């Protein structure tokens, strides 16, 4: 029988091995981050309570409890007991039981006095107040990020002499010398060539603008990666894979802390402004969850209960998507479908309220200056026809293929970054990718503009007054149908735009693969939507020209009359954007709702649904994991996916530790071990908990005790309970027998013993065990035979077994 490989049973997380993090520099893997983040431990929101114990494997008995006041050890709560070590999984069952006990106590006391009744009411109302604060703070930060990013993006091309704080659009709004046809040109806005060489014409002026564009991009990217590397390593990436893992019950201290929030807010503006192929929408979910975690500390109910805090974080994730896209309902569905592990009905209501407040706050700030909440408002006047489902489904197939291609190539690149020297130079990597992006982007007007502006232009339905090259049609003023523009032959501008968009599509596809996962905040929503929108617009223009030149074809003749406005290219761009985003993330319901909230195109739900489902089917056929699940597996996080079925016929005895020829399971006895015996076991093992049995001979199970609780309780007893020495007997029983004279006082630890650990028999099918772990959120399960303890199964064991059954590397699971 083998000793149980517990939660801390890997080289990166054995006590005393934190120095090993200092030399690691893999990119997306958090194993390289804690070592760096140790310098900022005082800034963490929930610093480990047993820092000295964590740093000393020998357990020398120092660090916990500094008060010398005499206290009753059994009656007063011990600080730190019931909390969790970093990079460990919480016990959902215990946390929910604690909350029920707390609620029951408050309810009973509320009948005794008016003050207790007021306390009960305030406790019930505190959740809604917390949601209000999260919505207000998330909306305010999102508005600040939007306004700052817009200004700094325009700063790469020029500056407003009428007020440097104005971006290009606002600068020309205040001008008296602007025409409608050239509304983006005004004397108050000066390009860098006008400021430096006093002209905007000629090759030298073009070179000056080119140089300044690349220089500003490099400066923004350098500041972003430097701030992340030095001050908050957790601020890099999208954050959604880690948020999903945290919501499943994992502890990553400091990941949602105030220092991470400050640095991520600043660097997100810098990263977006640099022109890299990334978006701010995914990181805004991380920002909102940081707001939720920080505000939780104002309320005891959420500060002291990890399960309740995760309910708040689920609502905060909904608020994050709400302010990212201006889609409050889509935000709630995104939290439910994509990131949340435990989502009761009460959390649904509160998520809706938080998303509502966040959206209202963002609308009040009005960062887009158009008095609309949605990011890409569209006004399509033409209904879609049944035949158009064919090109919509083709876009869905393209989205699925792109999603599968992107996931495989991006994960391969991130793995290469983790395992080679590349990961040791994050600043150089970011600067190189930024330089390549900026140099290739400037000559093409569609890659030079921000990705959000590009998507907005691709979604746009051409009107009479549009000056875009995408709307440069011949006979554009031949309005034969009530002011609507009919299908018409493409002009020179449209053909030029098609070539530029094709080049933009290639650049976006390639550069996004290398951008996502670098050491800067980087979202994936907007780049994925851009790829799909470009492909959709190209297909839409092709369909439009096909309908114009071949109107006699049967497929067009039945529903598209001569001179009518039949095809809407902007609709194809919208469907393509949904298809590619669905292929990468594997979202379905929430994706469709986000898209119609994002654009206001409510009547186009069916095309969006067809494209989203097709992209998911195609992408799933080529690989079961979405991008976030793939990054979770790459980083070795202990995330047990609830959507997949376990179909293998194995038993609990095949998975439990110890195995047949391994050493015996390490256990504690209920009434025969001394303090010295327990301290020796603690110092010689790294397990996160120990089963307690009646005796080593009988192996009859009594309960389960956590390592952290044992350490803190013994330290507390040595300091505050007179007479406790190494030879003192530890009792986990309710009553201790009378002791002979001059015997050291006993140590009673029954109050930290879990008397109802979850157990299964050795013949329980693993599919049932996996379901139990998923639905109850267990961290470990004990295995018995006729009441005798045989072994233990941890969440990490389950994940390793699933990986092994799927022919994957079981050692890729690093945490528990």
């Amino acid at each position: 029988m083998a000793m149980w490989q517990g939660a801390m049973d890997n080289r990166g997380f054995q006590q005393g091995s934190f120095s090993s993090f200092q030399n690691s520099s893999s990119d997306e893997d958090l194993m390289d981050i804690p070592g760096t983040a140790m310098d900022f431990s005082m800034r963490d929101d929930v610093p480990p309570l047993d820092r000295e114990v964590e740093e000393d494997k020998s357990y020398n008995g120092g660090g916990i409890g500094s008060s010398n006041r005499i206290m009753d050890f059994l009656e007063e709560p011990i600080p730190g007991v019931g909390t969790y070590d970093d990079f460990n999984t919480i016990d959902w069952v215990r946390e929910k039981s604690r909350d029920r006990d707390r609620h029951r106590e408050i309810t009973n006391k509320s009948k005794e006095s008016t003050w207790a009744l007021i306390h009960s009411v305030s406790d019930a109302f505190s959740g809604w107040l917390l949601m209000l604060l999260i919505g207000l703070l998330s909306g305010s930060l999102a508005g600040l990020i939007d306004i700052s990013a817009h200004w700094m993006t325009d700063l790469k091309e020029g500056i407003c002499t009428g007020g440097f704080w104005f971006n290009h659009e606002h600068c020309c709004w205040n001008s008296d010398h602007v025409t409608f046809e050239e509304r983006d040109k005004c004397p108050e806005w000066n390009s860098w060539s006008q400021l430096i060489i006093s002209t905007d014409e000629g090759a030298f002026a073009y070179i000056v603008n080119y140089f300044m564009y690349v220089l500003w991009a490099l400066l923004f990217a350098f500041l972003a990666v430097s701030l992340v590397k030095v001050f908050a390593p957790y601020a890099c990436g999208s954050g959604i894979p880690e948020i999903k893992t945290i919501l499943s019950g994992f502890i990553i201290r400091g990941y949602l802390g105030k220092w991470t929030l400050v640095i991520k807010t600043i660097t997100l503006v810098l990263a977006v402004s640099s022109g890299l192929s990334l978006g701010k929408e995914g990181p805004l979910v991380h920002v909102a969850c940081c707001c939720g975690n920080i505000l939780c500390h104002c309320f005891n109910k959420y500060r002291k209960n990890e399960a309740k805090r995760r309910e708040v974080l689920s609502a905060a994730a909904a608020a994050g998507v709400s302010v990212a896209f201006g889609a409050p309902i889509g935000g709630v569905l995104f939290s439910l479908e994509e990131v949340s592990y435990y989502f009761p009905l009460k959390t649904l209501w509160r998520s809706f309220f938080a998303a509502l407040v966040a959206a209202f706050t963002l609308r009040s700030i009005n960062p887009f200056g158009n008095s609309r909440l949605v990011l890409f408002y569209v006004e399509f006047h033409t209904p879609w026809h049944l035949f158009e489902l064919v090109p919509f489904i083709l876009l869905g197939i393209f989205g699925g293929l792109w999603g599968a291609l992107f996931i495989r190539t991006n994960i391969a690149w991130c793995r290469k970054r983790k395992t080679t020297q590349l990961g040791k130079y994050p600043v150089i990597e970011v600067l190189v990718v930024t330089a390549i992006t900026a140099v290739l982007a400037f000559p093409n007007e569609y890659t030079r503009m921000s990705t959000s502006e590009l998507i907005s232009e691709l979604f746009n339905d051409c009107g009479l007054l549009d000056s875009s090259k995408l709307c440069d049609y011949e006979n554009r003023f031949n309005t034969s149908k009530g002011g609507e523009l009919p299908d018409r032959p493409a002009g020179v501008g449209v053909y030029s735009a098609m070539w530029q968009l094709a080049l933009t599509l290639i650049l976006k596809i390639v550069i996004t693969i290398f951008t996502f996962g670098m050491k800067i905040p980087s979202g994936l929503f907007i780049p994925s939507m851009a790829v799909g929108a470009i492909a959709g617009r190209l297909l839409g223009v092709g369909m439009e020209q096909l309908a114009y030149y071949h109107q006699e074809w049967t497929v067009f003749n039945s529903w598209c009359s001569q001179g009518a406005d039949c095809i809407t290219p902007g609709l194809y761009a919208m469907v393509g954007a949904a298809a590619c985003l669905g292929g990468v993330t594997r979202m379905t319901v929430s994706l469709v709702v986000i898209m119609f909230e994002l654009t206001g195109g409510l009547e186009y739900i069916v095309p969006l649904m067809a494209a989203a489902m097709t992209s998911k089917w195609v992408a799933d056929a080529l690989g079961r994991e979405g991008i976030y699940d793939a990054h979770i597996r790459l980083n070795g996080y202990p995330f047990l996916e609830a959507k997949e079925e376990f179909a293998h016929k194995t038993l609990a005895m095949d998975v439990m530790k110890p195995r047949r020829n391994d050493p015996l399971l390490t256990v504690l006895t209920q009434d025969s071990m001394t303090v010295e015996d327990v301290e020796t076991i603690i110092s010689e093992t790294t397990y996160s908990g120990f089963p307690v049995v009646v005796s080593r001979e009988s192996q009859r199970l009594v309960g389960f005790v956590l390592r952290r609780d044992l350490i803190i309780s013994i330290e507390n007893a040595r300091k505050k309970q007179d007479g406790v020495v190494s030879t003192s007997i530890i009792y986990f029983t309710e009553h201790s027998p009378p002791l002979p004279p001059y015997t050291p006082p006993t140590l009673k630890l029954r109050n930290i013993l879990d008397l109802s650990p979850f157990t299964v028999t050795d013949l329980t099918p693993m599919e049932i065990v996996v379901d139990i772990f998923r639905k109850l959120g267990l961290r470990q399960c004990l295995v018995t035979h006729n009441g005798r303890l045989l072994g233990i199964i941890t969440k990490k064991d389950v994940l390793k077994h699933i990986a092994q059954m799927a022919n994957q590397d079981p050692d890729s699971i690093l945490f528990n």
Side-chain angles (χ1 to χ4, degrees):
M1 300 178 75
M3 298 177 70
W4 161 44
Q5 184 176 2
M8 308 281 288
D9 187 25
N10 57 70
R11 63 177 181 86
F13 291 94
Q14 291 182 358
Q15 295 184 349
S17 67
F18 286 101
S19 60
S20 65
F21 296 139
Q22 303 286 352
N23 300 323
S24 176
S25 57
S26 54
D27 205 273
E28 276 291 320
D29 192 350
L30 290 182
M31 288 186 67
D32 65 320
I33 294 174
T36 314
M38 283 297 158
D39 296 335
F40 306 100
S41 58
M42 297 306 293
R43 297 169 180 154
D44 289 351
D45 274 30
V46 194
L49 292 168
D50 56 343
R51 179 76 68 184
E52 293 84 1
V53 176
E54 284 185 6
E55 293 174 353
D56 187 1
K57 180 177 177 179
S58 63
Y59 181 66
N60 58 14
I64 303 301
S66 57
S67 173
N68 294 318
R69 181 173 62 87
I70 302 299
M71 62 174 283
D72 186 339
F73 179 67
L74 286 178
E75 292 185 3
E76 288 199 20
I78 306 169
V81 168
T83 57
Y84 302 94
D85 284 319
D86 202 5
F87 299 101
N88 255 258
T89 303
I90 71 169
D91 189 334
W92 283 90
V93 176
R94 184 172 73 166
E95 295 298 308
K96 296 302 293 181
S97 177
R98 278 181 180 175
D99 184 62
R100 283 193 297 269
D101 292 341
R102 183 197 62 83
H103 189 267
R104 191 180 299 114
E105 182 181 354
I106 291 176
T107 303
N108 293 336
K109 285 185 177 179
S110 67
K111 302 172 184 176
E112 298 174 2
S113 66
T114 305
W115 177 251
L117 179 62
I118 294 173
H119 179 257
S120 175
V121 172
S122 66
D123 181 77
F125 181 70
S126 62
W128 295 102
L129 177 60
L130 181 56
M131 294 302 112
L132 176 67
L133 295 175
I134 290 172
L136 291 172
L137 185 56
S138 301
S140 301
L141 287 176
L144 176 65
I145 290 170
D146 286 334
I147 293 171
S148 303
H150 197 173
W151 173 70
M152 292 180 68
T153 300
D154 289 347
L155 194 61
K156 292 185 299 184
E157 299 188 16
I159 197 168
C160 185
T161 54
F164 72 91
W165 55 88
F166 289 124
N167 60 40
H168 192 170
E169 187 178 12
H170 288 170
C171 185
C172 291
W173 274 359
N174 300 325
S175 176
D176 297 327
H177 307 88
V178 65
T179 62
F180 186 83
E181 289 77 13
E182 295 186 336
R183 49 191 177 274
D184 59 338
K185 295 181 181 179
C186 57
E188 288 82 4
W189 179 262
N190 290 305
S191 66
W192 290 110
S193 62
Q194 288 175 308
L195 290 172
I196 296 172
I197 61 175
S198 302
T199 181
D200 203 21
E201 304 293 334
F204 188 60
Y206 182 83
I207 293 173
V208 170
N209 287 329
Y210 203 151
F211 176 77
M212 292 302 295
Y213 180 91
V214 176
L215 185 66
W216 277 109
L218 289 172
L219 176 62
F220 292 154
F222 176 74
L223 288 174
V225 68
S226 299
L227 287 172
V228 168
K229 182 182 178 182
V230 175
F231 294 106
Y234 283 147
C236 67
S238 165
I240 292 181
E242 288 76 17
I243 296 296
K244 286 187 70 169
T245 310
I246 290 172
L247 289 179
S248 73
F250 196 54
I251 301 283
I252 309 178
R253 296 194 189 281
Y255 194 83
L256 301 177
K258 47 187 172 293
W259 198 241
T260 301
L261 173 63
V262 171
I263 297 301
K264 186 135 194 173
T265 302
I266 296 170
T267 54
L268 182 55
V269 175
L270 292 167
V272 171
S273 305
S274 68
L276 286 166
S277 183
L278 50 82
K280 62 182 182 299
E281 283 66 25
L284 275 175
V285 176
H286 187 186
V287 168
C289 286
C290 287
C291 296
N293 183 63
I294 292 167
L295 291 171
C296 275
H297 287 72
C298 302
F299 303 87
N300 282 335
K301 178 166 72 171
Y302 299 103
R303 184 175 72 246
K304 295 182 178 180
N305 192 292
E306 294 289 349
K308 294 294 290 182
R309 189 184 303 187
R310 274 150 182 76
E311 293 180 20
V312 174
L313 296 180
S314 292
V321 174
S322 174
V323 295
F325 291 110
I329 300 175
V332 176
L333 292 175
F334 175 81
S335 180
L336 173 62
E337 180 182 4
E338 189 62 26
V339 298
S340 293
Y341 193 84
Y342 175 67
F343 203 84
L345 191 60
K346 182 168 59 176
T347 303
L348 177 68
W349 301 334
R350 290 181 176 173
S351 300
F352 186 78
F353 179 65
L356 168 67
V357 174
F360 176 78
T361 304
L362 185 65
R363 170 65 181 81
S364 301
I365 296 173
N366 191 21
F368 307 122
N370 58 6
S371 299
R372 292 195 179 99
L373 179 62
V374 297
L375 194 57
F376 310 119
Y377 183 74
V378 297
E379 289 183 295
F380 298 148
H381 303 290
T382 307
W384 62 278
H385 191 266
L386 190 62
F387 167 74
E388 290 183 282
L389 280 178
V390 175
F392 293 154
I393 289 173
L394 289 177
L395 286 173
I397 294 172
F398 172 79
L401 294 173
W402 147 249
L405 169 69
F406 174 80
I407 292 169
R408 290 194 178 186
T409 51
N410 179 252
I411 292 298
W413 179 251
C414 288
R415 185 174 287 113
K416 190 178 190 64
R417 184 186 290 132
K418 285 163 59 72
T419 56
T420 63
Q421 295 293 317
L422 176 65
K424 295 185 178 180
Y425 307 100
V427 176
I428 295 176
E429 182 192 9
V430 169
L431 291 178
V432 169
V433 174
T434 304
I436 293 172
T437 304
V439 168
L440 295 177
F442 187 84
N444 188 337
E445 64 177 288
Y446 293 112
T447 50
R448 188 191 316 167
M449 67 175 64
S450 72
T451 313
S452 296
E453 291 179 13
L454 171 62
I455 295 173
S456 184
E457 181 156 338
L458 293 170
F459 283 5
N460 182 43
D461 187 23
C462 291
L464 290 172
L465 300 176
D466 279 310
S467 57
S468 168
K469 286 200 301 185
L470 284 171
C471 299
D472 183 21
Y473 289 92
E474 297 176 10
N475 307 321
R476 61 178 308 191
F477 297 107
N478 178 21
T479 55
S480 59
K481 188 182 175 186
E484 293 184 8
L485 290 175
D487 286 339
R488 51 223 184 278
V492 177
V494 174
Y495 288 115
S496 172
M498 291 300 100
W499 278 109
Q500 287 182 291
L501 284 176
L503 294 174
T504 303
L505 179 63
I506 295 171
L507 177 62
K508 289 287 183 186
I509 286 176
V510 174
I511 208 69
T512 305
I513 292 170
F514 299 98
T515 303
F516 187 71
M518 293 195 303
K519 290 290 187 186
I520 53 173
S522 54
L524 194 58
F525 286 115
I526 290 296
S528 299
M529 289 177 63
V531 169
I534 295 170
R537 188 77 186 203
L538 292 172
L539 180 61
V541 172
M543 286 291 296
E544 182 186 47
Q545 296 305 300
L546 200 63
Y548 176 81
Y549 287 108
H550 301 281
Q551 195 270 334
E552 72 280 359
W553 287 6
T554 306
V555 293
F556 297 120
N557 192 26
S558 59
W559 58 281
C560 185
S561 57
Q562 186 69 38
D565 185 16
C566 304
I567 306 292
T568 306
L571 172 59
Y572 285 72
M574 189 168 77
V575 173
C580 283
L581 184 54
V584 171
T585 63
R586 310 298 163 86
M587 295 190 298
T588 52
V589 179
S590 56
L591 171 64
V592 172
V593 175
I594 286 173
M595 286 304 299
F596 82 69
E597 281 190 284
L598 189 64
T599 59
L602 188 60
E603 60 185 297
Y604 302 106
I605 287 182
V606 173
L608 290 172
M609 290 174 68
M613 283 309 305
T614 305
S615 69
K616 177 174 173 56
W617 287 334
V618 172
D620 280 348
L622 299 173
R624 296 291 300 174
E625 292 179 320
I627 185 64
Y628 302 129
D629 295 327
H631 272 277
I632 287 173
R633 187 164 61 84
L634 177 68
N635 295 333
Y637 297 143
F639 183 76
L640 198 54
E641 180 58 67
K643 301 170 187 174
E644 296 182 6
E645 295 293 329
F646 183 84
H648 305 285
K649 291 186 177 181
T650 51
L651 301 177
M653 62 188 298
D654 300 324
V655 181
M656 72 176 188
K657 299 289 182 66
R659 297 295 172 84
R660 185 175 301 249
N661 297 320
D662 291 339
L664 292 174
L665 185 69
T666 302
V667 297
L668 306 180
T669 57
Q670 66 173 356
D671 56 7
S672 62
M673 298 187 72
T674 64
V675 170
E676 185 179 16
D677 294 335
V678 173
E679 287 179 340
T680 301
I681 289 176
I682 289 173
S683 64
E684 292 179 351
T685 63
T686 57
Y687 311 145
S688 63
F690 305 93
V692 178
V693 296
V694 174
S695 67
R696 295 186 185 277
E697 294 75 25
S698 70
Q699 290 290 309
R700 300 290 179 185
L701 182 64
V702 176
F704 190 85
V705 63
L706 293 178
R707 172 198 189 88
R708 181 184 177 90
D709 291 353
L710 264 179
I711 293 175
I712 295 174
S713 299
I714 294 174
E715 274 306 309
N716 194 76
R718 281 189 178 276
K719 288 180 177 293
K720 299 181 181 179
Q721 188 175 342
D722 290 338
V724 173
V725 293
S726 295
T727 55
S728 298
I729 302 294
I730 293 180
Y731 284 95
F732 292 101
T733 54
E734 192 168 356
H735 303 288
S736 57
L739 298 174
Y742 308 109
T743 303
T746 61
L747 184 56
K748 298 179 182 178
L749 296 184
R750 187 178 177 85
N751 59 332
I752 66 169
L753 181 65
D754 180 6
L755 294 169
S756 56
F758 207 93
T759 61
V760 296
T761 66
D762 53 337
L763 298 179
T764 304
M766 270 307 294
E767 56 186 327
I768 295 177
V769 175
V770 171
D771 269 349
I772 290 170
F773 270 87
R774 282 174 178 161
K775 293 174 181 176
L776 293 181
L778 298 182
R779 58 185 300 179
Q780 73 271 322
C781 175
L782 301 175
V783 182
T784 62
H785 177 74
N786 294 336
R788 288 171 54 88
L789 178 66
L790 288 185
I792 189 168
I793 300 174
T794 67
K795 189 175 184 180
K796 185 175 183 178
D797 295 328
V798 173
L799 288 163
K800 282 191 169 187
H801 182 65
I802 292 175
Q804 197 170 9
M805 292 292 101
N807 294 321
Q808 297 170 353
D809 180 17
D811 292 328
S812 64
I813 312 298
L814 301 177
F815 309 95
N816 190 19

